[in-house]
Amino acid sequence: GAVVSQHPSWVICKSGTSVKIECRSLDFQATTMFWYRQFPKQSLMLMATSNEGSKATYEQGVEKDKFLINHASLTLSTLTVTSAHPEDSSFYICSATAAGEGLTDTQYFGPGTRLTVL
Amino acid sequence: AQSVSQHNHHVILSEAASLELGCNYSYGGTVNLFWYVQYPGQHLQLLLKYFSGDPLVKGIKGFEAEFIKSKFSFNLRKPSVQWSDTAEYFCAVNRGNQGGKLIFGQGTELSVKP
């Protein structure tokens, strides 16, 4: 149980285009979803926290107009990288926490999406 | 600045050797502590977690971790590693009042030689 999927697993785009990444909780309802960014050989950096039906909360230094997050349902959150540039190339990972006793605060991670901006 | 620190960037061990990976955090107050593992090409998986109670926590695959509050530490241990334990290990901290927000350490790459 507690499986999180991401789509696509990798994407290559031209500079200036926008890219949408989906994060889905497959077998549970996600009260909260998180978006992380991971650079090679580095740790995960939290970008934003989103709750279903609410505006996302962005971490300091993360441009909310560039990284648009929508959490339209309890099983789906999307991250849109707008007007992508080469410096946005990275590994984007989502995670989700589930409602229910013993599950709160344990995050279940998706497999990540490799974004390469040319 | 408040942070999570993992002491070792890369650890190389032979099979059957014992493992201890250090993790220290600098937050005061109530914390929840986690160790995640990322096998090559795979997503992060939860190894174990500590919320409260017995400070010695047992996880999957023979791993355990000990929470020492006075040292702000949550070190990961395994008595005898296997080649299949080769992976990246991340310590993470969630402050009890932060709605699940995780702060990760830098990660430790473990290479186990067969």
Side-chain angles (χ1 to χ4, degrees):
Chain A
V3 177
V4 176
S5 70
Q6 281 184 243
H7 178 78
S9 55
W10 58 270
V11 57
I12 301 173
C13 69
K14 293 181 179 180
S15 185
T17 61
S18 295
V19 175
K20 180 185 283 188
I21 302 170
E22 292 186 348
C23 176
R24 293 180 185 274
S25 57
L26 298 184
D27 51 0
F28 65 99
Q29 292 188 325
T31 51
T32 305
M33 287 184 167
F34 303 84
W35 286 96
Y36 296 85
R37 187 171 177 177
Q38 185 181 29
F39 291 102
K41 298 295 185 182
Q42 294 188 32
S43 187
L44 284 75
M45 299 297 294
L46 180 64
M47 298 175 65
T49 303
S50 73
N51 292 291
E52 183 263 341
S54 305
K55 287 185 178 179
T57 302
Y58 290 81
E59 294 300 301
Q60 191 172 12
V62 178
E63 300 176 60
K64 61 180 182 181
D65 294 330
K66 181 168 187 62
F67 298 100
L68 300 178
I69 291 172
N70 183 275
H71 194 159
S73 76
L74 284 171
T75 59
L76 173 64
S77 176
T78 59
L79 168 68
T80 302
V81 184
T82 62
S83 187
H85 289 94
E87 58 266 28
D88 298 324
S89 298
S90 190
F91 197 53
Y92 292 87
I93 303 172
C94 74
S95 71
T97 57
E101 185 178 358
L103 296 176
T104 304
D105 291 342
T106 297
Q107 293 185 25
Y108 300 93
F109 285 81
T113 297
R114 173 77 57 194
L115 170 63
T116 301
V117 184
L118 301 177
Chain B
Q2 297 175 323
S3 67
V4 179
S5 298
Q6 292 181 237
H7 313 306
N8 311 100
H9 181 67
H10 191 188
V11 173
I12 302 173
L13 295 173
S14 297
E15 277 195 315
S18 64
L19 170 72
E20 181 160 3
L21 302 182
C23 173
N24 285 88
Y25 61 95
S26 61
Y27 303 100
T30 302
V31 292
N32 300 321
L33 300 156
F34 304 81
W35 275 97
Y36 283 88
V37 61
Q38 187 174 30
Y39 297 103
Q42 297 188 29
H43 62 279
L44 272 81
Q45 300 174 39
L46 181 67
L47 269 181
L48 47 78
K49 61 186 178 184
Y50 172 80
F51 283 4
S52 64
D54 188 344
L56 184 61
V57 180
K58 295 196 182 296
I60 61 172
K61 305 187 181 186
F63 287 91
E64 65 178 31
E66 184 175 14
F67 170 52
I68 303 180
K69 188 174 182 179
S70 61
K71 295 185 178 180
F72 295 86
S73 70
F74 190 56
N75 291 356
L76 180 71
R77 299 194 292 248
K78 185 170 183 178
S80 176
V81 295
Q82 300 173 321
W83 176 79
S84 57
D85 293 323
T86 295
E88 187 92 19
Y89 291 82
F90 293 97
C91 177
V93 174
N94 156 249
R95 301 178 69 187
N97 61 353
Q98 295 271 308
K101 176 177 165 179
L102 278 178
I103 305 300
F104 281 84
Q106 305 94 315
T108 298
E109 182 180 354
L110 172 65
S111 299
V112 180
K113 295 181 177 179

